[in-house]
Amino acid sequence: MEQSGHLAIKNLTKVYERGQVVALKDLSFSVKKGEFLVVIGLSGSGKSTLLRCINRLIEPTSGSVSLDGVDVTSLPSSRMRRMRRGMGMVFQHFNLISRSTVLTNVLTGRLGYTPVWKSMAGWFSKADHELAMKSLERVGLEEKAYVRADELSGGQQQRVGIARALMQQPSLLLVDEPVSALDPATSNSIMQYFEEINQSDDITVLTSLHFLSLARRYGTRIIALKGGELVFDGLPSDIDDSRFKEIYGEEAEEVEVR
Amino acid sequence: MSSAGRSTKPLSQLINLLGRSLGQIQKAWEPFIVDFAIIATTWILITYTYSWFTRGPELATYFLVPWWLFLIGSVEIAVLWESFGVSLGHTLFRVRLLGADRRPPTLRQAVVYFFGWHISALPLAGLLASPPLHERWSGLRFHPLIVDSIRPRPWYRRSIGIYLMALFVVVSVAAVGVTITFQNLVRLFSDAYRVAPLWRALVNPNLAILKDSFSDLIVTIFMAVMATLFATIIAVPISFFAARNLTQGAIGRTVYTILRGIMSIFRSIEPIVWAIVFLVWVTSAHASFAGVLALWIHSIADLTKLYAERLESIDEGLMEAISATGASRFQVLRYGVVPQIVNPYISFTLYRFDINVRMATVVGLVGAGGIGGRLIAYLSGQRYANAGTVMLLIVVAVWAIDYLSSRLRSKLL
Ligand SMILES: Nc1ncnc2c1ncn2[C@@H]1O[C@H](COP(=O)(O)OP(=O)(O)OP(=O)(O)O)[C@@H](O)[C@H]1O
Ligand SMILES: [Mg+2]
């Protein structure tokens, strides 16, 4: 196959039937193993749609996504589920089971590896429990294992989200605006977890971010979307003032988040 | 390619086309149906009240004119209202009849619209055209209402405001006039002594019948327990197929529509009517069984709706997150949906149990077992002191269960 790299996206298009919105227009790019790729763009530019088309939480209209040479878009649903195990996902609003304990939430990361009948009763293997405690240790939450998820702060909840994604032992992490619900200091500490995971586990990270300053600081490469089209693909240092105005419009001004 | 699954089958294209033109017809008719209904209702109310007062209750009539004249008249008034003014239907569906570039209609356009409507709507065929013929000829069509900076006229100066006010007055007069007479009011105050023993029994119960009444009360409560329990067992699984967000695709949508339809029909038939049906069906020898069936059917319909509406408002983010881990459909239900609905479901079930205890008494009144039967027997035998004792028991039991269930429910939220 002529696909270069780890994740290859070719001519990806998404049209939402309702309202005939073209959210992604003929998008093509590829990602190398171990990259920390940041997707930027205005609200509504299609960042969330792109990330969800990769693990097919949203069904693309046309085009293809392939991971390690496997065409994800053509997989039948049972094989798609196996494929998803290798793609962790972290969300803007954390999306935890608020009434359950932190440990249960983290264990759900193993659902793809657990027989259905066992998981119906809430049984996870001993190895899974050990892995869960290890993941929690990595995000510094081992003491909160038996606390209800909705009793945690936003930053802590996002760390649970990260631990859940780690449980999948993914090769790719899809992250949708992980810090837009958090304050600047917490944002940085969350981004550092992603940086650490990216570097020490060699997990490819694909994240959308609202703040360019964070994108510059953590990304090894940046792509920018505008109206569903790719308008920039390059190094963080390549985004100068005129590039910035191209992406965000003439009126925009850069805001610093430290 | 992913687009392979979306092949363009001619049949599905036809269905789509049909669906689209049906959608258009629906859009064109929605305001009209509302206007027609409200005008017809007003007509009936006015003529009924008028003839009730002028000719007396026995000779009161609904239309004053032949029924076909009534129908044509209501249609004409509705279309006139829609062609030349802003009707109730327009307001309700937030549309305005406007020309190109949202220009207000001229008199000529309105006249063309009015007559064109008859030509295109009466044979129905003209509605299938897109846009419908009367819209094409007049150049007027429904535009979504845009609230702009122009201050709207106060409600009492708009045709709707005036209309609704008039309707309110008419309905009030009609309701009072038709249901209440002066003699009724006099009796309400002068004949209270007839039921005095009933009130007296509330503070001074007849202990002799207390024991038997109590065992009837237990039967009533068991009827409620049975009905609620078995209704829950049925309604929980059904609710998943009656929730809009969980039923996708052509088959899912059809199942959803049918289930919701059946449930709303079942729910609109009161338990007391069901009780009479089942008394005939299973014979009144098994009275309390008929009562349980009546409550059961109604509870299934009610609970399915409550459950399904809760399902429709769940946070889809959690479902997304669980799906993203590679979980199967059942696992997504178990971890993405169930944790969000357990407590509300229990709360709805308790609430329904509450209702069922009260309803079990009511179905007893028509002979479907339990304490209601005893109550109606005492009342019709004019043994008011005994009836009062039974009522006391019912009040205490209903109050206690109501209190307990609301305490439990507030814990669950
Ligand atoms: N379910 C949907 N149905 C119809 N249109 C949608 C749907 N979801 C998103 N869209 C549209 O698709 C476009 C892209 O949306 P998307 O959520 O991907 O943007 P985004 O870049 O993530 O924005 P934000 O920064 O606000 O999260 C928008 O115009 C949006 O209105
Ligand atoms: Mg988004």
Side-chain angles (χ1 to χ4, degrees):
Chain A
M1 281 201 183
E2 33 111 48
Q3 275 146 355
S4 58
H6 176 48
L7 175 72
I9 292 177
K10 276 217 193 79
N11 310 107
L12 192 67
T13 297
K14 172 67 193 177
V15 182
Y16 284 107
E17 298 255 334
R18 186 155 44 91
Q20 292 294 307
V21 183
V22 184
L24 296 177
K25 252 181 243 161
D26 201 22
L27 215 59
S28 300
F29 63 91
S30 64
V31 188
K32 286 197 211 59
K33 181 111 188 99
E35 262 188 309
F36 196 118
L37 179 69
V38 181
V39 187
I40 59 172
L42 282 175
S43 194
S45 57
K47 305 182 292 296
S48 303
T49 307
L50 169 63
L51 290 168
R52 282 168 176 73
C53 279
I54 292 173
N55 63 1
R56 279 174 65 194
L57 284 180
I58 290 176
E59 209 55 50
T61 308
S62 67
S64 75
V65 173
S66 60
L67 185 67
D68 294 325
V70 180
D71 185 0
V72 176
T73 31
S74 64
L75 290 179
S77 64
S78 59
R79 293 205 34 219
M80 185 61 222
R81 286 200 293 272
R82 295 185 141 259
M83 199 72 195
R84 277 191 190 141
R85 302 194 307 204
M87 314 185 201
M89 192 158 193
V90 178
F91 301 84
Q92 178 178 9
H93 297 293
F94 326 132
N95 296 353
L96 303 179
I97 310 172
S98 51
R99 291 173 181 282
S100 298
T101 62
V102 166
L103 184 65
T104 307
N105 271 288
V106 175
L107 282 170
T108 58
R110 294 303 286 179
L111 282 174
Y113 299 87
T114 309
V116 173
W117 67 271
K118 270 194 178 174
S119 59
M120 288 297 128
W123 291 335
F124 290 91
S125 69
K126 193 137 177 281
D128 287 349
H129 274 92
E130 277 159 18
L131 192 62
M133 288 315 286
K134 258 197 220 116
S135 304
L136 280 174
E137 259 166 54
R138 275 193 81 172
V139 295
L141 281 178
E142 65 275 21
E143 272 147 39
K144 300 281 186 187
Y146 298 98
V147 176
R148 263 174 65 146
D150 56 3
E151 286 168 14
L152 301 183
S153 71
Q156 289 171 328
Q157 292 194 33
Q158 193 56 296
R159 277 144 70 192
V160 176
I162 295 171
R164 174 175 64 190
L166 282 177
M167 290 293 280
Q168 294 174 234
Q169 300 180 312
S171 62
L172 170 69
L173 208 53
L174 303 168
V175 189
D176 192 12
E177 284 172 29
V179 297
S180 8
L182 304 173
D183 64 70
T186 317
S187 296
N188 257 315
S189 88
I190 292 290
M191 288 311 296
Q192 274 155 19
Y193 283 111
F194 289 119
E195 190 173 45
E196 194 263 334
I197 290 164
N198 173 246
Q199 284 168 3
S200 59
D201 297 22
D202 202 28
I203 293 176
T204 312
V205 175
L206 187 55
T207 176
S208 61
L209 282 175
H210 258 153
F211 286 108
L212 189 57
S213 55
L214 287 177
R216 280 210 173 101
R217 180 151 161 204
Y218 294 98
T220 56
R221 183 178 144 205
I222 292 182
I223 63 173
L225 296 181
K226 189 177 185 180
E229 283 174 296
L230 196 68
V231 292
F232 174 83
D233 183 350
L235 296 176
S237 52
D238 291 343
I239 300 187
D240 53 19
D241 210 43
S242 69
R243 285 279 193 201
F244 177 80
K245 289 214 152 65
E246 245 175 68
I247 299 166
Y248 287 103
E250 286 299 321
E251 304 295 308
E253 255 176 66
E254 197 171 341
V255 192
E256 278 287 300
V257 174
R258 296 191 175 278
Chain B
M1 272 304 222
S2 71
S3 55
R6 255 175 295 273
S7 66
T8 47
K9 298 188 196 88
L11 184 67
S12 71
Q13 263 182 344
L14 189 71
I15 291 173
N16 268 342
L17 200 71
L18 202 66
R20 206 168 304 149
S21 70
L22 281 179
Q24 245 160 24
I25 293 179
Q26 190 196 341
K27 278 231 175 61
W29 280 86
E30 274 167 353
F32 171 75
I33 288 170
V34 168
D35 291 328
F36 172 76
I38 200 80
I39 285 163
T41 314
T42 318
W43 184 317
I44 292 174
L45 278 171
I46 291 177
T47 52
Y48 189 77
T49 316
Y50 171 76
S51 58
W52 202 88
F53 280 117
T54 53
R55 304 182 187 175
E58 285 76 32
L59 294 173
T61 164
Y62 293 113
F63 308 136
L64 271 187
V65 293
W67 62 268
W68 51 269
L69 206 60
F70 158 78
L71 279 186
I72 293 177
S74 299
V75 169
E76 289 306 316
I77 296 173
V79 182
L80 275 173
W81 195 7
E82 292 197 349
S83 304
F84 296 97
V86 176
S87 75
L88 186 71
H90 292 164
T91 310
L92 224 58
F93 293 102
R94 303 182 69 77
V95 292
R96 290 289 181 270
L97 198 60
L98 297 172
D101 304 327
R102 305 184 62 88
R103 267 197 297 272
T106 63
L107 185 64
R108 205 189 70 84
Q109 280 177 314
V111 172
V112 172
Y113 186 88
F114 176 73
F115 288 108
W117 188 92
H118 290 81
I119 297 171
S120 89
L122 292 186
L124 283 178
L127 284 174
L128 284 170
S130 166
L133 292 180
H134 54 290
E135 292 192 358
R136 197 176 296 178
W137 291 329
S138 66
L140 299 175
R141 64 179 183 84
F142 289 147
H143 288 259
L145 172 68
I146 295 176
V147 181
D148 46 26
S149 54
I150 302 169
R151 187 162 171 267
R153 272 195 269 171
W155 67 270
Y156 51 83
R157 282 191 49 206
R158 277 187 284 175
S159 63
I160 312 216
I162 296 168
Y163 177 80
L164 286 180
M165 204 160 57
L167 188 68
F168 177 74
V169 172
V170 170
V171 170
S172 313
V173 170
V176 171
V178 172
T179 57
I180 301 177
T181 61
F182 187 65
Q183 290 96 308
N184 289 153
L185 277 178
V186 170
R187 286 195 61 179
L188 178 64
F189 292 102
S190 67
D191 289 10
Y193 68 92
R194 287 164 186 265
V195 287
L198 197 132
W199 304 124
R200 231 175 280 133
L202 286 182
V203 289
N204 186 17
N206 179 357
L207 293 178
I209 61 156
L210 207 56
K211 192 163 162 284
D212 286 348
S213 305
F214 196 75
S215 52
D216 280 353
L217 180 67
I218 303 274
V219 171
T220 296
I221 292 175
F222 276 151
M223 281 166 63
V225 170
M226 293 281 289
T228 315
L229 186 67
F230 286 101
T232 306
I233 291 171
I234 305 270
V236 167
I238 286 185
S239 63
F240 285 86
F241 298 96
R244 184 171 271 275
N245 53 343
L246 301 181
T247 49
Q248 255 125 35
I251 298 172
R253 257 307 119 75
T254 315
V255 171
Y256 162 85
T257 313
I258 292 174
L259 271 180
R260 276 299 184 90
I262 293 175
M263 290 305 158
S264 71
I265 292 171
F266 279 12
R267 222 158 36 86
S268 61
I269 300 172
E270 285 293 313
I272 192 159
V273 180
W274 282 114
I276 294 167
V277 171
F278 283 114
L279 275 172
V280 177
W281 189 336
V282 302
T283 79
S284 36
H286 306 280
S288 52
F289 180 53
V292 170
L293 287 177
L295 296 175
W296 178 67
I297 287 277
H298 199 259
S299 303
I300 289 177
D302 196 29
L303 284 176
T304 302
K305 177 166 182 279
L306 288 173
Y307 291 164
E309 273 170 5
R310 185 65 192 75
L311 276 174
E312 281 167 6
S313 66
I314 60 169
D315 171 21
E316 309 234 346
L318 182 59
M319 284 175 75
E320 253 192 340
I322 301 294
S323 304
T325 66
S328 72
R329 191 186 286 254
F330 279 109
Q331 289 173 323
V332 173
L333 277 182
R334 164 72 176 78
Y335 288 93
V337 179
V338 170
Q340 298 190 59
I341 59 170
V342 177
N343 283 11
Y345 270 37
I346 296 175
S347 165
F348 289 142
T349 308
L350 283 172
Y351 168 71
R352 184 63 216 188
F353 174 64
D354 232 52
I355 295 177
N356 279 348
V357 171
R358 271 172 277 153
M359 285 292 172
T361 317
V362 175
V363 297
L365 294 178
V366 296
I371 200 163
R374 183 176 284 270
L375 179 61
I376 200 77
Y378 286 145
L379 281 174
S380 53
Q382 305 202 336
R383 291 152 75 184
Y384 294 125
N386 286 358
T389 307
V390 172
M391 275 168 68
L392 179 70
L393 261 184
I394 294 173
V395 167
V396 170
V398 167
W399 175 82
I401 288 166
D402 198 85
Y403 175 79
L404 280 178
S405 104
S406 69
R407 282 302 294 270
L408 272 173
R409 276 185 284 139
S410 68
K411 277 257 153 45
L412 283 171
L413 292 181

